[in-house]
Every structure is written in C-alpha cells, then in structure tokens.
Amino acid sequence: QQQVKQSPQSLIVQKGGISIINCAYENTAFDYFPWYQQFPGKGPALLIAIRPDVSEKKEGRFTISFNKSAKQFSLHIMDSQPGDSATYFCAASGGSNYKLTFGKGTLLTVNP
Amino acid sequence: GAGVSQTPSNKVTEKGKYVELRCDPISGHTALYWYRQSLGQGPEFLIYFQGTGAADDSGLPNDRFFAVRPEGSVSTLKIQRTERGDSAVYLCASSLFPGTGYGYTFGSGTRLTVV
C-alpha cells in the first residue's frame, strides 16, 4: 500500500517558470510533511517541511501548500533555475513515528 | 563529522556473497536509520537505532539482512547470501531528534550491485 502518492513523475520547466509537484496521503496520523531534494549520486537533503496547523510555508523560492481536508500538499518552486534540476521527494511521518514514508519522486528538469 | 559518511560509495558483489555497508553518523546524533532506495523509487525504511539498540527492524526484508551499532555511533548493515534483487542504494541517516521524523540528515549512500 503506497501511503504517499506523488505526481508528476517528471516535469520540464523553462528557466524562470514555476514548478509544481503534488502529493496526496492516506494516513490521517501523519503530522509532519517534509520535501527532500536529491541530486544524482547524493542522498536526499531536506528542503522545506510543514506541519498541518498551517496551510502554507514559504522559504525563499520554495513554498509548501497544505490542504488538510483533502489530504494533499504541494511544493511550488518560483523562478525555477537550472540548478534546481534534481529529483524531489515528498514524505510524511506521524505522531511519535520516526519512519518517513516517501513518495516515488519527481524528476525536475529546468531548461536554460 | 560534518555530515553522514557512508562507505563504500559503490560495491559490486557476486550473487551469494556477504557484504557489509558502513555508516558514520553526525557526531552526537543518537538516532540512526537505514533506508533502501531502488531505482526510480523513494527511500524505504529498513531499521532504526536509538543508541546501541535496534528500536525497530520491521523494515528489514528478511533474515539475510542484519545491522549493528555496537558503540552507539558507527553502524554496519550486513547482507548475507546476496541476491540480484538486493541491488539498490542503501542510505543511512542520523538525527538529533529520536522518535520523530524531524531533522534527518542522509548520507550519499552505498550503491550495491549484485551480479
């Protein structure tokens, strides 16, 4: 059972455009929703995270939007740059559960 | 150290052989995790250490997999009688926040190829 569904699988955006990646979850016990960025040959690195008590969190060009009733959250990358080209994973964990459940990832390509 | 260090970065082994993968966590991080990332997939949980003990090994796929952390720092993931299906990137992460999903720092992983 895949508890976190991520889409799209791949995304191509022009430099300066907006990249949007979506995730949906099933487990209502989840209460922590991080996004990770992974470059080839590297491990995932935490990008930004949100708790369900807020609907949006912004850090620089990166914004998470969270819809608790729909059990969905999304990552928006404003003014996308070629250096943002990477694989992005959404994840979730819940309560005292230390396990992160990851989506399958989105390969983002930003063309110059 | 400044980050989570994993060695080797790449390991090619023959089917049926035994392998050991090493993880050096960030100094002071008591929580340590192993995840496995198959091609085109997100990381999947294998095992969680709090200190020296394995608090949760429910993600280990079978009894060919075993992990230790004898002094509460370095951890070794051991795989016996390797199979081609074990080929994946094995990621280690450590955290200052035991018992939560917060603050994971991942290493760069060990890419295991079983031929």
Side-chain angles (χ1 to χ4, degrees):
Chain A
Q1 178 189 13
Q2 184 189 354
Q3 294 193 55
V4 178
K5 294 184 179 180
Q6 183 171 347
S7 63
Q9 190 174 356
S10 62
L11 179 62
I12 299 174
V13 173
Q14 290 301 118
K15 179 182 176 182
I18 302 173
S19 304
I20 302 174
I21 305 170
N22 301 297
C23 282
Y25 63 97
E26 300 166 4
N27 187 343
T28 55
F30 287 152
D31 63 0
Y32 175 67
F33 303 90
W35 284 89
Y36 284 82
Q37 179 188 56
Q38 186 175 32
F39 293 104
K42 300 295 185 183
L46 179 63
L47 192 61
I48 186 172
I50 197 168
R51 297 290 301 269
D53 51 345
V54 297
S55 60
E56 185 175 283
K57 182 174 181 180
K58 183 176 181 179
E59 291 183 1
R61 296 185 294 109
F62 301 92
T63 300
I64 300 179
S65 297
F66 185 82
N67 185 329
K68 187 174 182 178
S69 61
K71 292 188 286 185
Q72 295 176 347
F73 58 110
S74 60
L75 176 69
H76 296 234
I77 306 174
M78 311 299 289
D79 186 27
S80 299
Q81 299 297 310
D84 296 331
S85 297
T87 300
Y88 292 80
F89 292 95
C90 61
S93 69
S96 60
N97 191 339
Y98 38 79
K99 298 178 191 178
L100 285 174
T101 300
F102 285 84
K104 290 190 174 184
T106 296
L107 178 61
L108 171 66
T109 302
V110 182
N111 288 328
Chain B
V4 177
S5 176
Q6 291 189 247
T7 54
S9 56
N10 283 282
K11 176 70 176 179
V12 180
T13 191
E14 293 181 347
K15 178 176 178 295
K17 298 290 188 182
Y18 168 83
V19 296
E20 290 189 351
L21 313 178
R22 177 187 168 105
C23 172
D24 272 283
I26 292 173
S27 178
H29 282 196
T30 57
L32 184 145
Y33 310 84
W34 285 96
Y35 281 71
R36 179 167 71 174
Q37 186 173 20
S38 300
L39 192 63
Q41 303 292 318
E44 294 181 324
F45 172 82
L46 293 177
I47 187 168
Y48 162 53
F49 285 91
Q50 177 48 41
T52 59
D56 182 351
D57 64 358
S58 63
L60 295 178
N62 52 60
D63 61 6
R64 295 185 298 104
F65 289 75
F66 188 71
V68 295
R69 195 185 184 198
E71 298 178 355
S73 179
V74 171
S75 176
T76 305
L77 178 65
K78 307 181 181 193
I79 310 174
Q80 298 178 321
R81 305 183 305 280
T82 52
E83 300 177 357
R84 291 195 179 87
D86 298 335
S87 296
V89 175
Y90 289 82
L91 294 165
C92 176
S94 67
S95 169
L96 259 179
F97 306 101
T100 76
Y102 309 153
Y104 274 48
T105 299
F106 282 93
S108 292
T110 294
R111 180 176 297 279
L112 176 66
T113 304
V114 182
V115 297

